[in-house]
Each structure stands twice: as structure tokens, then as C-alpha cells.
Amino acid sequence: MISNFFLGANSSAGFQSLYEGFVDPEKNQDVIVLKGGPGAGKSSFMKYIGEQAEARGEDVEYIWCSGDPESLDAVRLPRLGILAVDGTSPHVVEPQYPAAVDRYVNLGRFYQVEKLKTLREEIMAHAKDYRAAYRQAYRALKAAGEVERCLQDLTSTGFDQEKLRRRTAGIITRELGKQGGGTGEIAYRFLGGVTHRGLIWRFDTVETLCDRIYELKDSRGLGGEVLHTVAQAAVQRGYDVIACLDCNRLARLQHLILPELRLGFITTREGMEYTGKKPYRRIHIDAMADQRLQRQNRSRCRFHRRMYQLLMEEAIAGLQAAKASHDLLEKAYNPYVDFDGVYALAKEEWKRIEKQL
């Protein structure tokens, strides 16, 4: 099976990273840490490994870049515990047990250094523009996060927590009656987030891994308790879970996948719509709020939603500017990269991996 997640996220707190748990040497056998700057072929290297593994019928987990969701940050072969990961900023990865578990693969050696030295001023200008655009995006995201918190405070007043707990208990009784066959481990991921293409959510992964999907209709961000309680109950019963975090509040879950049960829970709201197959069940979290108070706060909520929307548009514009600068960086580098050498090295690494299939 093929799954698609993110390990990084652009958020109100800046860049959020889940890479540390992903590359944990206690959970992996072979970690290839790719080093090299823009245009060095890191994503192409990882795509080659993933494509070869798919052709051999292996499960493959693709990790996409939060800055450019068409570019890879990592690829993992879960059955073998083998992964290749971009170890450069902002998600720097360093080997902890060199060669025994993890190791560097330097793609920077395929740069034509002397030619690139002649582009020093151009490269530095694009890199500075890239960093400035991200600062713009993160300022807007920080402000949007504050507005979102104000909105959640307004809408959470009078929320029927007891009713939500009863619904959660019913789900646990119905879905987790048997003991699981796993070790009760939690893998943390992001299912999506804000990118230069706007808000992107990989609900296709949930459909791939799950036959039954619970949809939590939750515009207020109040359904995280459901997912947290279900996740803890699943772990206690020996089920492995994939917990997809809210990038603005890492203590809160947004989505939950129980692969052994082929069971998923997704949160939906404006900007996080699900248009896939019909959910197994829907839980209307919004309906558990005090409707009288919601009517009283309607105009204030409308104002906050509009402010949030405008700030998110500003953030996306910043990410688009960053992507444009990064594209110019890659355009400068690409003519002076030995891609034949990159692919030859990828093929060499695949031959080594292939022996373990």
C-alpha cells in the first residue's frame, strides 16, 4: 500500500517538525540521510527508491515537503525499516549510529563547484529572498493563529463536553472490543497543512488505509478530545495508531488511523473538506455547542473568520513568494549538477536495498 504524509508543517509557531520520531534508530534498520543544497537531486533520489520499491510490491510511505507538496522530504519502506530522508534545513537530521543504522549520502558532490562560484551573487540574492518570504508567511500565520484562538474561545462557551464523552465511549465500545495484534505504538504525522498551493490534505491516504471512516464535523477545533481518547484506548488494547497532529497545537489530534482495524477518524471544516467516499458515520461536533450563545456571538465570529481568512491569504502569498525564489535557486543550480551521477548513486543504493527484499 502507498501512503502519503507530511512530517513538517508551516504553523502559527513557525516550522513544526516530527522528523525526530520518524528517524528514530530504535525503530529503523537503515536510515539514508541525504545532504546537498537546492537542485542537488534529493527528491529525485528518493522518488527513484520509492518507484523501485513499488514495482517490487513493497509498501511505501512518502513524506512530502510542506514548502512544496510535489517534492519529497523522505521515503520509507516500513516492512524493512529502511528510509531515505532529506537531512538539510529546516529539518536537519544527523546520524546517531553512523553506518550501524544511519549514514550520510552527500549529493553535494555532484555540484560543479567552480561553475557555481561564478553565480555567487545571484544565488545569495535568491536565498535571501527565499528566507524573507518565509518570514512574511510566518508573521501572517502567527497572527492567524491568534485570531483562530479567539474564535475558538468564542465558540467553545457552553459546549456539551459530557455528551461528547458519551459518544466517544460508545465508539470505543463498538470499535475496540477486541485486543489488537500490535505493540500499541503511536506514529505521529501531519496529514496536511498550509502550503504555497493553499491548504492541502492527503485524505487519499486515509481512504487507502481505512475501509471505514468516521467524519467529525468540527469547525471549532473541539473534537480533539475524541481522537485523543480513542487513540489512548487503542494503544492500551495493543493497536498501533497513526496520530495526525494539529500543526498549530501539537497537543491536539486532527485525524487518527488504526491500520490493523482499517479504521479512520477525520476532522472536517472549512478549508479541510473531505470529498471522498461516504463516511461510515458522521459526528456533528458543532451541534454540541450552545446554539443560543452561538447566535449571540454570530457577528463577532463572522468578523474573526474574515480576519483569519485574510491572514491566511497573506501567509499563502508569502509561501508562494518563497516557492518562486526557491525555483529560481534550483534553476541556477540545475545546469551545474551531474544528474547522471545522482541517478547512478540512487541505483547503487537500490541494489543494496534490493538484497534485503
Side-chain angles (χ1 to χ4, degrees):
M1 288 185 293
I2 309 304
S3 58
N4 299 277
F5 292 102
F6 295 83
L7 288 173
N10 302 304
S11 81
S12 59
F15 181 75
Q16 300 281 19
S17 173
L18 301 176
Y19 282 83
E20 183 175 353
F22 183 73
V23 301
D24 185 349
E26 301 294 332
K27 298 178 182 178
N28 296 292
Q29 299 299 318
D30 190 3
V31 180
I32 301 168
V33 180
L34 299 175
K35 296 290 185 178
K42 300 184 294 295
S43 183
S44 298
F45 183 105
M46 291 183 281
K47 285 179 181 177
Y48 179 82
I49 298 297
E51 289 167 358
Q52 296 304 309
E54 283 190 55
R56 290 295 300 270
E58 285 292 321
D59 291 345
V60 181
E61 179 182 8
Y62 291 104
I63 302 297
W64 298 96
C65 174
S66 59
D68 181 1
E70 295 178 354
S71 179
L72 278 175
D73 271 352
V75 61
R76 176 172 172 261
L77 312 183
R79 185 180 68 85
L80 301 174
I82 295 175
L83 63 94
V85 59
D86 179 349
T88 60
S89 179
H91 35 72
V92 176
V93 175
E94 301 291 350
Q96 299 181 53
Y97 302 99
V101 178
D102 36 20
R103 58 199 166 82
Y104 291 122
V105 169
N106 177 26
L107 300 186
R109 62 177 164 158
F110 297 110
Y111 281 144
Q112 296 178 36
V113 177
E114 293 307 315
K115 295 286 184 64
L116 288 167
K117 289 286 187 184
T118 66
L119 302 179
R120 179 178 183 272
E121 298 302 322
E122 177 184 350
I123 287 172
M124 290 180 67
H126 293 325
K128 289 176 181 177
D129 289 344
Y130 173 77
R131 290 191 289 269
Y134 261 105
R135 287 194 294 272
Q136 170 194 340
Y138 284 158
R139 281 194 296 266
L141 285 171
K142 182 177 181 180
E146 290 300 318
V147 173
E148 184 181 36
R149 277 185 278 275
C150 291
L151 182 60
Q152 289 173 349
D153 288 343
L154 280 173
T155 56
S156 62
T157 304
F159 185 74
D160 192 344
Q161 293 284 357
E162 184 56 36
K163 182 177 182 180
L164 186 62
R165 293 190 184 101
R166 290 196 301 271
R167 292 294 301 274
T168 306
I171 292 170
I172 292 171
T173 300
R174 182 166 57 250
E175 302 291 353
L176 303 178
K178 298 180 180 179
Q179 193 71 15
T183 57
E185 293 188 1
I186 301 180
Y188 292 103
R189 301 286 188 269
F190 296 118
L191 196 62
V194 59
T195 75
H196 77 93
R197 290 170 49 197
L199 291 164
I200 289 180
W201 306 99
R202 295 306 304 256
F203 286 124
D204 57 314
T205 291
V206 183
E207 292 188 332
T208 296
L209 299 179
C210 304
D211 296 323
R212 291 173 299 133
I213 299 173
Y214 280 75
E215 179 185 5
L216 280 62
K217 298 182 74 65
D218 178 21
S219 64
R220 301 173 174 87
L222 301 173
E225 182 181 333
V226 176
L227 303 183
H228 178 78
T229 303
V230 172
Q232 291 302 311
V235 167
Q236 291 170 5
R237 289 162 173 78
Y239 292 102
D240 295 336
V241 305
I242 302 173
C244 299
L245 303 177
D246 181 337
C247 64
N248 288 318
R249 297 190 184 184
L250 293 186
R252 184 170 65 192
L253 300 187
Q254 275 187 332
H255 316 285
L256 183 67
I257 299 172
L258 282 64
E260 184 180 344
L261 294 174
R262 294 194 59 80
L263 176 66
F265 299 82
I266 62 172
T267 300
T268 61
R269 61 169 184 257
E270 184 179 359
M272 194 158 64
E273 294 88 355
Y274 172 65
T275 58
K277 63 186 180 183
K278 183 178 180 180
Y280 172 63
R281 296 198 175 178
R282 287 191 176 95
I283 300 175
H284 293 269
I285 305 293
D286 290 346
M288 299 180 194
D290 187 312
Q291 299 304 308
R292 181 181 60 82
L293 290 174
Q294 299 310 307
R295 286 192 295 271
Q296 289 178 356
N297 290 327
R298 186 173 297 165
S299 61
R300 294 178 66 194
C301 289
R302 189 182 300 116
F303 169 78
H304 281 79
R305 289 192 184 96
R306 180 57 179 156
M307 288 297 299
Y308 177 79
Q309 181 182 354
L310 290 171
L311 288 165
M312 288 299 290
E313 289 173 1
E314 177 70 8
I316 291 168
L319 294 174
Q320 289 171 341
K323 175 63 165 59
S325 294
H326 193 269
D327 286 348
L328 290 172
L329 269 174
E330 290 198 333
K331 185 178 179 180
Y333 275 97
N334 279 167
Y336 307 110
V337 176
D338 176 12
F339 283 104
D340 288 340
V342 172
Y343 282 111
L345 183 55
K347 290 176 181 178
E348 181 182 324
E349 288 292 341
W350 172 250
K351 287 179 181 178
R352 188 185 54 77
I353 292 170
E354 197 172 25
K355 294 176 182 178
Q356 303 178 56
L357 299 180

